[in-house]
Amino acid sequence: MRRATTVCLLVIALGVAARGTAQTAQGDQGKPATQGQAASTTGASSQDTRPATTTFFGDTGLWFVPTADLLPDGKWSISGYRAGFNDQQGYTNISHYAVTFGAGIKDRAEIFGSFRVITRIDRDIRPLFTADPDVGGLVNEYPFVTSQWSGNKLGDLFLGAKINLSSQWRQQPAAFAIRGMVKVPTGNRDAGVSTGKPDLYIDGIVSGEAGQAVELSGFGGVAIRGRPDTPTTVSVSRGFRWGFGAGFPSRSPIRLTAELEGERTFSSSITTTPALMALDGSVSPLVSNIRNPTLATVGLTWQHKSGFFLGAGFNYVFTGDAIDQRPFSADDLVGRLRDYADFQFRIGYHPGVRVYVAPPPLP
């Protein structure tokens, strides 16, 4: 009897011990799985974006060339630009000091804007207008320049939206987006820094990152410019805009961007009725030719991991054989740079764009 009682007590003790061991094992299995999942989630949150910057118009992009990627949902960007461009008509230099902004919506859209708080135009040819339709006439986008120097004037406001249709962070081959912009003519028409009419721009954009080393982007679209009709009628031309560029190393704090962009205008010339008179008494030709310039830009940008960035660049505009009609030698490099090159500068903040992150492994 005593032996049987002892055996029963041993069996009960072993059962209790086995049950406790099983419960401990289950608890240990649950705890590491939760910790591992948290660790994976933490790692993903710190690696789900890569560096990106704004464009001159305020949307996500390289420098002037946009990309199809967007600001993440609820994120925002801001930047300031000094941008300069040249036109062969009148050997005219146009420079803008702009403030931009952007905001991401649901990882599918981006709203943005660029306000040219200062626009300055310098026309170098003398007299200001000549009978030569190639160099003595009107600038297509700024036809009302009638003085040597416009001074610092308020420029135009650009507002836009970009809709993303595919993206690499969704494991699609490339990013594709549609961008629409409108120009609000806030600039001073009397000083020549605006046409006084709204413009519309519609672009398609394809971009992607290759090997986590270089970002490539290209765009094409139409520019539908409003045509001034009072008191002077000017048939400014509309056109097809295009551009492509690269930024590399795409995930480095210091990145080099190289871009080429231009426009194929639908008309080879613009007309004005009646002719414009400049402040020096010269009269514009009734027909001014357009040379479809191509702009090459190279820039270097440093960006902190927080998203703050600084950049400086240089551009040069190719306008065919207009340089041969300069009053000095075509071999004068300084003269060429003065009339066809300009510098760029930017400062701003962009939190980056999303990238694909593999889900955490199962416990």
Side-chain angles (χ1 to χ4, degrees), residues 58-294:
D59 60 327
T60 300
L62 299 175
W63 201 296
F64 297 109
V65 174
T67 61
D69 288 312
L70 309 173
L71 284 160
D73 181 38
K75 300 296 184 179
W76 55 272
S77 66
I78 188 170
S79 60
Y81 272 80
R82 189 278 176 192
F85 310 93
N86 290 278
D87 193 282
Q88 92 282 351
Q89 288 289 2
Y91 302 113
T92 301
N93 175 263
I94 305 105
S95 59
H96 304 288
Y97 293 81
V99 176
T100 80
F101 69 90
I105 303 174
K106 302 298 184 182
D107 294 319
R108 283 293 188 178
E110 183 178 80
I111 58 173
F112 59 90
S114 177
F115 185 35
R116 299 172 178 178
V117 292
I118 295 177
T119 294
R120 312 193 303 180
I121 299 181
D122 179 21
R123 188 177 175 96
D124 285 342
I125 197 171
R126 299 294 181 272
L128 292 173
F129 288 129
T130 72
D132 190 337
D134 287 328
V135 296
L138 308 182
V139 178
N140 186 43
E141 294 186 74
Y142 301 95
F144 296 117
V145 177
T146 57
S147 62
Q148 175 185 351
W149 172 246
S150 69
N152 297 329
K153 302 298 182 181
L154 188 70
D156 292 322
L157 170 66
F158 288 77
L159 299 173
K162 185 161 63 178
I163 308 298
N164 177 268
L165 302 179
S166 69
S167 182
Q168 287 181 310
W169 77 266
R170 299 189 191 94
Q171 291 188 282
Q172 292 163 320
F176 176 71
I178 301 295
R179 181 180 71 169
M181 292 188 299
V182 61
K183 184 194 81 175
V184 182
T186 56
N188 190 322
R189 170 175 163 161
D190 293 337
V193 300
S194 177
T195 62
K197 293 291 184 178
D199 300 339
L200 176 65
Y201 303 87
I202 302 174
D203 302 310
I205 310 165
V206 178
S207 68
E209 185 188 29
Q212 298 187 8
V214 59
E215 184 172 27
L216 302 171
S217 184
F219 80 96
V222 294
I224 304 172
R225 298 185 176 91
R227 291 171 174 169
D229 52 8
T230 56
T232 303
T233 301
V234 181
S235 64
V236 295
S237 180
R238 298 158 184 178
F240 175 80
R241 302 164 63 244
W242 59 270
F244 58 89
F248 50 91
S250 56
R251 304 198 182 193
S252 171
I254 299 178
R255 295 192 299 280
L256 179 70
T257 57
E259 301 176 340
L260 197 66
E261 58 179 327
E263 179 177 345
R264 183 71 179 178
T265 54
F266 297 152
S267 175
S268 61
S269 62
I270 63 176
T271 61
T272 176
T273 308
L276 295 177
M277 179 176 289
L279 295 183
D280 64 356
S282 58
V283 178
S284 71
L286 296 178
V287 178
S288 303
N289 293 335
I290 305 174
R291 291 186 174 272
N292 295 314
T294 299

